[in-house]
Amino acid sequence: MTKLNSDNLQLSAAGKLKHLLNLEGLDKNFITRLLDNAENYLRPKGSLPARDYGLQGQTVANLFFEPSTRTRASFELAAKRMSADVLNLDVNMSSRIKGESILDTIFTLQAMQVDVFVVRDAGDGIPEFIARNVGTHASVLNAGEASTSHPTQGLLDMLTIRQAKGRLDGLSVTIIGDIAHSRVARSLSHGLRIMGNNDIRLVAPGGMAPDMALYPGASLYEDADTAVKDADVLVALRIQRERIEDPSGIPTEAEYNQRYGLTTDRVALAKPDAIVMHPGPMNRDVEISGKVADGPQSVVRQQVTNGLAVRMAVLSAVMESR
Ligand code: ASP
C-alpha cells in the first residue's frame, strides 16, 4: 500500500507521483525529470512510435465527461503503447447519465481492477475528490478539470517551449484570449512560474479577464499589441462558450479576432523567432488566423506530438509510485 505525503496528495511519502491533479506542489526538479523522460518517448518523424512494457498487466480507464479529441486520443495511445489494457468509457452510454454518482462509477470500475483513472470533468475539484476516495492501489490523472487545471497540457506546453527555446526561464510568454475560463492558461502559468519564468503576460477581453489572485506573478494587459511586443512565446485561446454562464458580454467573432486574434500583423510584433501555440481545438480566423496556424512560427502540431510523449512519461511516473 502506498503511503501518501499528507501535505501533497499527489506524491507518495517517497516523493513519487501517485496522482497528477495539478502542477502546484511539484517542484522544478520533478517537472524537469518528467519533461526529460517525455523526450525519451519522442521519435524522429517517419519512424515507428516509442513503445514500452511498463504498464503490462495494468488497466487504464479513460473517463471523459466533457468532449475531447487530443487529450483523450493521446492518453489512450500512451497507455496502449505502454502495453496497458485500456478501457474507454462511453460516457453517453454510461450509467452516470442515469444518475449514478461519479464515485459509484469509480468503485464499479475499481471492482474490475482498474489501476489508473484518467478523468476529465466540468466540476471543480472532481479529480482530487476521486483521489481521496479511490482505493490505495489506484492513481488518478487529471485530464482537464473545469477552468481550474489541466496539468498534462501544462507539461506538454512547457516541453514544446523548452524544445524551441532551450530553456523555460527568462522568457516572455503572452497568453491571449479567454483566460478566465481557461484551465490551459492556469496550468501553463503555474508551471512556468515553478520553472522560474517571471514574465507571464495575460491579455483578455473585459469579461474574460481572470481573477489575478489565481495567477501569482503574472501581469494582466488590456491591449494585445502591447502584450505581444517582443514576446518569445504566444499562446492563443479559444472562447470557451461551454463555461460561460452569461453570453451577453462575449465579443463577436470578428471583434475578438480584431482585438485579440493572432494575425500575421500581430505576430510580427513579437520577437522574430517567437513561437505560436494553441492547445486546440482551434477556431481558425477567430483566435488565430489560418495563415499563422499553418505558418513557420506555429508549433501547434508539435504540441500534439509532445502531448502523447508527456502522457507516456506521466503513466511511467505513476508506475514508480507502486
Ligand atoms: N483542449 C483544451 C481544454 O480542454 C482547450 C480548449 O478546450 O479550448 O481545456
Side-chain angles (χ1 to χ4, degrees), residues 173 175 198-203 210 212 215-221 227:
V173 179
I175 310 178
N198 54 15
D199 187 15
I200 299 161
R201 309 172 184 177
L202 309 174
V203 49
M212 290 305 285
Y215 284 87
S219 323
L220 185 63
Y221 288 67

Side-chain angles (χ1 to χ4, degrees), residues 11-309:
L11 300 180
S12 70
K16 303 287 185 192
L17 190 69
K18 176 67 181 166
H19 306 289
L20 181 61
L21 307 177
N22 50 53
L23 295 180
E24 296 90 311
L26 303 183
D27 65 19
K28 189 171 171 177
N29 287 338
F30 196 98
I31 291 179
T32 302
R33 276 201 308 277
L34 270 177
L35 300 184
D36 290 347
N37 197 24
E39 297 261 16
N40 291 331
Y41 290 114
L42 292 170
R43 293 290 178 274
K45 274 201 181 77
S47 47
L48 290 173
R51 282 187 193 275
D52 121 6
Y53 296 100
L55 267 75
Q56 203 161 39
Q58 303 286 318
T59 303
V60 176
N62 285 319
L63 277 63
F64 281 69
F65 298 106
E66 267 195 333
S68 174
T69 300
R70 281 147 288 269
T71 307
R72 185 181 146 149
S74 61
F75 262 116
E76 178 177 350
L77 281 176
K80 285 182 170 164
R81 288 180 185 168
M82 298 182 80
S83 317
D85 294 332
V86 181
L87 170 75
N88 294 307
L89 196 75
D90 183 342
V91 290
N92 293 319
M93 305 293 274
S94 81
S95 290
R96 204 159 163 220
I97 55 170
K98 295 187 193 165
E100 182 172 77
S101 77
I102 183 121
L103 272 191
D104 280 330
T105 304
I106 298 288
F107 293 151
T108 300
L109 297 175
Q110 205 170 271
M112 299 178 201
Q113 289 179 279
V114 166
D115 301 285
V116 180
F117 293 93
V118 178
V119 181
R120 168 171 289 194
D121 197 277
D124 185 23
I126 293 288
E128 178 174 339
F129 175 65
I130 298 172
R132 287 195 184 280
N133 288 285
V134 81
T136 49
H137 79 286
S139 292
V140 178
L141 305 181
N142 178 349
E145 170 194 6
S147 312
T148 315
S149 179
H150 196 349
T152 55
Q153 179 77 43
L155 291 168
L156 78 87
D157 287 342
M158 288 195 284
L159 179 59
T160 309
I161 295 171
R162 195 178 77 168
Q163 283 169 343
K165 299 289 158 200
R167 64 186 196 283
L168 283 169
D169 57 357
L171 297 170
S172 299
V173 179
T174 302
I175 310 178
I176 180 167
D178 181 10
I179 312 272
H181 304 101
S182 177
R183 51 195 177 208
V184 174
R186 282 267 287 277
S187 286
L188 177 58
S189 10
H190 279 292
L192 286 172
R193 187 155 182 261
I194 295 167
M195 301 312 283
N197 205 302
N198 54 15
D199 187 15
I200 299 161
R201 309 172 184 177
L202 309 174
V203 49
M208 296 173 183
D211 171 359
M212 290 305 285
L214 301 172
Y215 284 87
S219 323
L220 185 63
Y221 288 67
E222 263 181 50
D223 177 56
D225 291 351
T226 313
V228 163
K229 195 163 172 13
D230 296 328
D232 299 283
V233 176
L234 305 176
V235 182
L237 298 174
R238 174 179 76 86
I239 304 176
Q240 290 131 102
R241 295 177 194 279
E242 70 278 21
R243 288 200 269 280
I244 300 178
E245 277 161 27
D246 173 12
S248 60
I250 304 182
T252 64
E253 292 191 347
E255 215 182 309
Y256 192 82
N257 179 259
Q258 199 251 320
R259 296 194 53 199
Y260 303 96
L262 286 183
T263 56
T264 312
D265 287 350
R266 189 159 280 138
V267 171
L269 300 172
K271 291 206 177 124
D273 62 351
I275 54 167
V276 174
M277 301 171 61
H278 193 304
M282 288 191 284
N283 290 291
R284 284 170 181 261
D285 301 321
V286 183
E287 71 270 12
I288 187 165
S289 79
K291 245 184 160 169
V292 170
D294 300 327
Q297 287 168 272
S298 169
V299 290
V300 171
R301 294 198 189 120
Q302 189 59 36
Q303 286 175 268
V304 177
T305 302
N306 289 342
L308 182 42

